[in-house]
Amino acid sequence: MTDTDGVGQSAAISTRLNWLRAGVLGANDGIISTAGLVVGVAGATTSRASILAAGVAGLLAGSLSMAAGEYVSVSSQRDSERAALETERQELAQEPEAELAELTELLEARGLSRKLAREAAEQLTERDALKAHARVELGIDPDELVNPWHAAFASLVAFTVGAVLPLLAIVLPGPSERVPVTVAAVLATLTLCGVISARLGGAPPLRAVLRNVAGGALAMTVTYAVGTWLGTT
């Protein structure tokens, strides 16, 4: 396996982990924002129809907003990657020897001897100079540029999946059990999301769980208090 193959595989693994982490965070956003919304409405009214309408509206608004934001963000990233590749393509056409020397130095910096780095650089340049420079120098795989549509769809699905739980938890029980059931279900799910996100990031799970649970609990407490106050006034 060549050095650029290793770089390409590492980049692919990193990309998959980033997608998983983004999915977990998207679901986490869906849980917290929807839970805060429906608990707040439940504090103001016992009408299941009103709570359901608010929850569905929040789910749609949140998921579409997440999708639009992710599309814009990833489109900008893709544009930057394409611009970097075009710059590299021009440099290869104008200064091939300088680019070969640069690739040699990059491979040497990764632990290869000067002679072996030169030989590898020459072979990789003959095979596909742009791909070699993109992977080693830029950390980009030209064959797997980020797709804004995929990112938007993944964010929409992740947020929706997360939002469904508090929505069901608030509308299925009776009026007296709605808020306690929702709070318990949301905090349990946020605990799970915290553990998963910590594992994906290689961080201690306790801190991530505490942040998640504290954020969700705070959001529901504030919105429920405001909803109750508005309902009584």
Side-chain angles (χ1 to χ4, degrees):
M1 182 176 66
T2 66
D3 193 75
T4 52
D5 291 334
V7 173
Q9 290 183 3
S10 297
I13 293 172
S14 177
T15 299
R16 285 194 292 270
L17 287 176
N18 286 336
W19 279 112
L20 285 172
R21 190 177 296 113
V24 172
L25 293 175
N28 197 73
D29 288 343
I31 294 168
I32 294 177
S33 62
T34 305
L37 175 61
V38 295
V39 166
V41 176
T45 178
T46 59
S47 169
R48 179 180 276 111
S50 298
I51 297 171
L52 179 61
V56 171
L59 184 155
L60 291 174
S63 60
L64 292 174
S65 175
M66 285 281 292
E70 195 69 12
Y71 178 83
V72 171
S73 174
V74 175
S75 292
S76 298
Q77 180 183 345
R78 187 182 180 93
D79 291 342
S80 297
E81 291 177 345
R82 284 176 169 171
L85 289 173
E86 181 58 32
T87 298
E88 195 64 39
R89 185 180 288 108
Q90 293 176 6
E91 291 176 350
L92 285 168
Q94 295 169 2
E95 300 177 331
E97 287 301 321
E99 290 299 301
L100 178 60
E102 182 182 32
L103 183 58
T104 300
E105 292 175 359
L106 290 170
L107 292 174
E108 188 177 5
R110 293 180 181 276
L112 299 181
S113 67
R114 180 69 180 180
K115 180 180 178 181
L116 184 57
R118 180 70 181 190
E119 292 176 355
E122 290 174 349
Q123 292 179 16
L124 292 170
T125 298
E126 291 177 2
R127 183 192 301 177
D128 193 325
L130 179 61
K131 183 178 290 187
H133 279 267
R135 287 180 169 179
V136 178
E137 181 181 348
L138 305 175
I140 298 173
D141 187 342
D143 298 329
E144 296 185 9
L145 296 181
V146 291
N147 189 312
W149 288 108
H150 291 172
F153 180 74
S155 292
L156 186 148
V157 171
F159 187 97
T160 301
V161 169
V164 165
L165 172 74
L167 187 57
L168 293 177
I170 201 77
V171 298
L172 292 181
S176 61
E177 294 86 18
R178 282 174 185 161
V179 173
V181 168
T182 302
V183 170
V186 166
L187 294 184
T189 308
L190 289 176
T191 298
L192 179 61
C193 286
V195 171
I196 295 173
S197 63
R199 295 299 184 192
L200 290 174
L206 180 59
R207 186 177 301 173
V209 168
L210 290 177
R211 282 197 302 261
N212 250 18
V213 171
L218 178 62
M220 288 186 289
T221 299
V222 171
T223 56
Y224 182 73
V226 173
T228 302
W229 176 69
L230 291 174
T232 57
T233 57

